[in-house]
Amino acid sequence: MVSLWVWRRPSRRSVAGAMLAAAWNVPVVLGLHLLAVRCGWWWFDAQGGLFLGMPLDLFVTWVCLWSIVPAFAFP
């Protein structure tokens, strides 16, 4: 993300849009995960660092990849 920031120095408006997209994607990614676990589509066999059964690092990465990265890479 830092390289995207340096490559395309975003405006304040772009930063606000990226943060809004991230705020939108937090419940969407979490809801999709809960639905998938309930339907038996997937589960994670992990220890520690879990948020409602999902590894926290994966959760943060999915939110960033579906919100902040596209907003900065493709304004």
Side-chain angles (χ1 to χ4, degrees):
M1 268 193 318
V2 174
S3 60
L4 285 174
W5 189 280
V6 172
W7 178 46
R8 293 194 184 215
R9 186 72 42 116
S11 66
R12 293 179 73 186
R13 202 169 184 172
S14 295
V15 172
M19 293 301 116
L20 182 60
W24 174 262
N25 276 306
V26 166
V28 170
V29 169
L30 185 59
L32 176 64
H33 166 67
L34 293 175
L35 176 69
V37 169
R38 175 169 232 140
C39 292
W41 295 340
W42 70 63
W43 65 92
F44 298 101
D45 187 27
Q47 302 292 322
L50 298 176
F51 181 63
L52 295 176
M54 176 186 246
L56 193 56
D57 56 343
L58 182 64
F59 178 68
V60 170
T61 302
W62 277 5
V63 167
C64 289
L65 286 177
W66 286 102
S67 60
I68 297 171
V69 171
F72 287 161
F74 310 106

